[in-house]
Amino acid sequence: MSSPPRTPLVVLGAGLTGLSAAWHARGPVLLVEREARVGGHARSYRRDGFTFDVTGHWLHLRDPSIKALVEGLFKPGELATVARRTCIHSHGVQLPYPFQANLHGLPLEVVQECLVGYVAARERAAKGAPEPQTFVGFAEARFGAGIAKHFFVPYNRKLWGEHLERLTADWVSRYIPIPDTAQVIGGAIGLSQEGLGYNASFLVPTAGGIDAVPERMRAGLASRPEVELRLGSDIDEVDVVGRRIKLGAEADWRSYDALVSSIPLPELVRRIPAAPAEIRDAAGALRHVRWRYLDIAVGAPAPCDYHWVYVPEPRLPFFRVGVYSNAAPRMAPAGCSGLYVELNERTGPIDLAGVYAGLVEVGALRAAEDVRFVEVRVVEHAYVVFDAAYAAARATILTWLEGQGIHSCGRYGGWIYNSMEDCLLAGRAASEWAAARLAGQEPR
């Protein structure tokens, strides 16, 4: 009997994390991807001259080395820096982002309610109020009952669905701008407070489509003989005792010395029959948000100039709308525009007439008659749910996997909420972990 093929490092999943792990690897590596193309959620679809990403995928790069990596994939002029234009549609008016720092323009009674609630929350905090354990509690404690009522609670109820009431505040510190008192008051009297938050500007490929990033990385890996990329190959099983994997497209097992996984954490556990009951139970406790969105091709320019708009009001059938072509004009034919529309409802029929009416209201569409075609998309793993069971379940699984010589990382492999840059960083860190393991050292 022949010995199974052996590769020192195997990487599961060729999204940005897996691509980065292979990119930074120091030796032979097998990169396995279930789909027929690389990129994971950082992919694009094309039809009739329109390009659509998997909703808004904008590159926010802060780490100098990752910025150099991405820029090195492109020729001069193939990447553009775009200053973020984002707003909130609430109470029939368009407010600059973020809501909590730009209350001016709302009905006066709403502004008063928000400011009074904000002051009351600051007073409670000054008296040493305990830290809230839930996301809703965080919003009320940090911004006050009024701002929570008119934005944070309704918007996040639409985004997270049934999970909102169980959501903790573990994920918010980096992604929700927290203005100071001067900014809250200034925004309430009409002094615009823009540029807040971690993503005040971003990069886009000028030719259109975020898939240019993973595809350029794939092309770079193809020139390296020590890298084997297997597309269209699902992982049937991981044998942690024998340190080998079984690919659906191959008859033989593949042996490894180090295994990096970026596939969804519960999916990895499901592929490990030897996982003990407590690990399977922990995987069963992990939750995620699945949602639907629409790609809409419009045969007219967008009547708005924003890149995306947040829509908290429950009466409208979507919670966020983006205009691809306002950020990268070549994502739509001349004189046209392309939209993504993230829907409240995850199942059932879609009321397109209601969607079009809502798009007209928020300024993303001039008239329903301008729509050329609509594509319905589903994202199975959209956001990880940070509920009470999350931290313990995740830690239990990751600790056990590390003991089996498996490093699970990235947005879904690490079961976290992060950015594309974070995924590239996670892949690089995974390659360092693998290098240390292969050298017989304890990784830092």
Side-chain angles (χ1 to χ4, degrees):
M1 296 180 62
S2 61
S3 300
R6 187 175 200 88
T7 305
L9 172 60
V10 172
V11 178
L12 306 182
L16 292 182
T17 300
L19 287 167
S20 178
W23 186 275
H24 292 98
R26 307 172 195 171
V29 56
L30 169 65
L31 177 59
V32 182
E33 170 56 47
R34 178 180 63 181
E35 302 295 334
R37 54 195 289 204
V38 300
H41 288 346
R43 66 174 54 195
S44 308
Y45 301 93
R46 291 171 177 85
R47 176 181 167 185
D48 299 344
F50 291 86
T51 300
F52 306 98
D53 293 339
V54 180
T55 72
H57 268 74
W58 319 116
L59 277 164
H60 314 291
L61 302 181
R62 297 178 296 179
D63 183 274
S65 61
I66 296 299
K67 187 175 182 181
L69 186 160
V70 172
E71 290 178 341
L73 299 173
F74 295 87
K75 297 177 182 177
E78 290 185 334
L79 277 179
T81 300
V82 179
R84 182 195 68 204
R85 297 193 300 272
T86 313
C87 58
I88 298 101
H89 184 86
S90 180
H91 294 81
V93 297
Q94 222 89 305
L95 307 172
Y97 173 87
F99 181 93
Q100 58 271 28
N102 289 289
L103 301 173
H104 183 72
L106 292 169
L108 289 178
E109 62 273 17
V110 175
V111 176
Q112 181 186 38
E113 181 182 6
C114 290
L115 287 179
V116 169
Y118 177 79
V119 171
R122 294 297 84 217
E123 289 177 345
R124 288 193 298 271
K127 294 177 182 178
E131 286 292 321
Q133 299 303 305
T134 67
F135 171 73
V136 172
F138 162 83
E140 293 176 343
R142 190 62 190 82
F143 303 111
I147 292 175
K149 169 187 171 182
H150 291 287
F151 180 74
F152 283 101
V153 173
Y155 176 78
N156 284 282
R157 178 164 284 120
K158 294 169 79 172
L159 188 158
W160 296 97
E162 62 182 298
H163 302 289
L164 176 66
E165 311 309 329
R166 295 179 291 174
L167 203 65
T168 70
D170 292 345
W171 61 280
V172 301
S173 60
R174 174 177 168 189
Y175 296 97
I176 293 183
I178 301 180
D180 58 30
T181 299
Q183 290 170 319
V184 172
I185 294 173
I189 64 174
L191 301 176
S192 180
Q193 307 293 320
E194 298 191 67
L196 298 176
Y198 79 102
N199 57 355
S201 66
F202 54 87
L203 293 174
V204 295
T206 55
I210 195 61
D211 63 347
V213 175
E215 286 296 337
R216 298 286 177 99
M217 295 184 74
R218 179 197 59 77
L221 291 173
S223 67
R224 293 166 51 181
E226 75 276 16
V227 177
E228 179 185 358
L229 173 61
R230 292 300 307 269
L231 296 175
S233 296
D234 203 354
I235 304 104
D236 286 349
E237 185 177 331
V238 178
D239 174 10
V240 295
V241 177
R243 293 188 180 172
R244 57 184 190 160
I245 62 169
K246 177 65 175 63
L247 303 182
E250 295 184 350
D252 291 332
W253 290 74
R254 293 273 195 139
S255 296
Y256 63 83
D257 295 311
L259 182 65
V260 169
S261 175
S262 64
I263 70 174
L265 193 55
E267 292 297 312
L268 174 61
V269 173
R270 186 174 65 80
R271 288 166 169 79
I272 305 177
E278 68 168 322
I279 301 303
R280 294 196 299 271
D281 290 344
L286 297 178
R287 300 283 180 264
H288 66 274
V289 171
R290 173 185 186 272
W291 73 44
R292 293 184 299 178
Y293 71 95
L294 305 177
D295 282 333
I296 301 183
V298 183
C304 62
D305 71 345
Y306 56 69
H307 300 127
W308 68 91
V309 58
Y310 300 97
V311 186
E313 295 189 30
R315 64 183 178 82
L316 292 169
F318 41 75
F319 57 88
R320 185 165 49 198
V321 175
V323 186
Y324 297 112
S325 48
N326 279 352
R330 291 173 65 182
M331 292 183 75
C336 299
S337 54
L339 313 178
Y340 65 88
V341 182
E342 294 172 316
L343 302 173
N344 304 345
E345 299 299 329
R346 274 55 168 173
T347 59
I350 298 171
D351 176 14
L352 283 178
V355 170
Y356 296 157
L359 292 174
V360 171
E361 179 177 336
V362 303
L365 183 67
R366 185 190 62 84
E369 293 73 25
D370 291 336
V371 174
R372 288 192 178 178
F373 65 82
V374 178
E375 297 279 5
V376 180
R377 310 282 188 196
V378 176
V379 180
E380 178 57 43
H381 294 89
Y383 282 6
V384 167
V385 173
F386 294 82
D387 57 15
Y390 164 84
R394 174 180 178 271
T396 296
I397 298 169
L398 292 180
T399 299
W400 182 79
L401 288 173
E402 289 281 346
Q404 310 307 310
I406 299 174
H407 184 72
S408 191
C409 59
R411 180 163 180 146
Y412 302 106
W415 209 247
I416 54 177
Y417 179 48
N418 70 355
S419 67
M420 288 188 285
E421 179 184 62
D422 294 327
C423 289
L424 294 169
L425 287 166
R428 185 177 68 187
S431 74
E432 294 170 354
W433 170 88
R437 181 173 181 82
L438 295 172
Q441 304 167 1
E442 284 297 319
R444 292 179 293 175

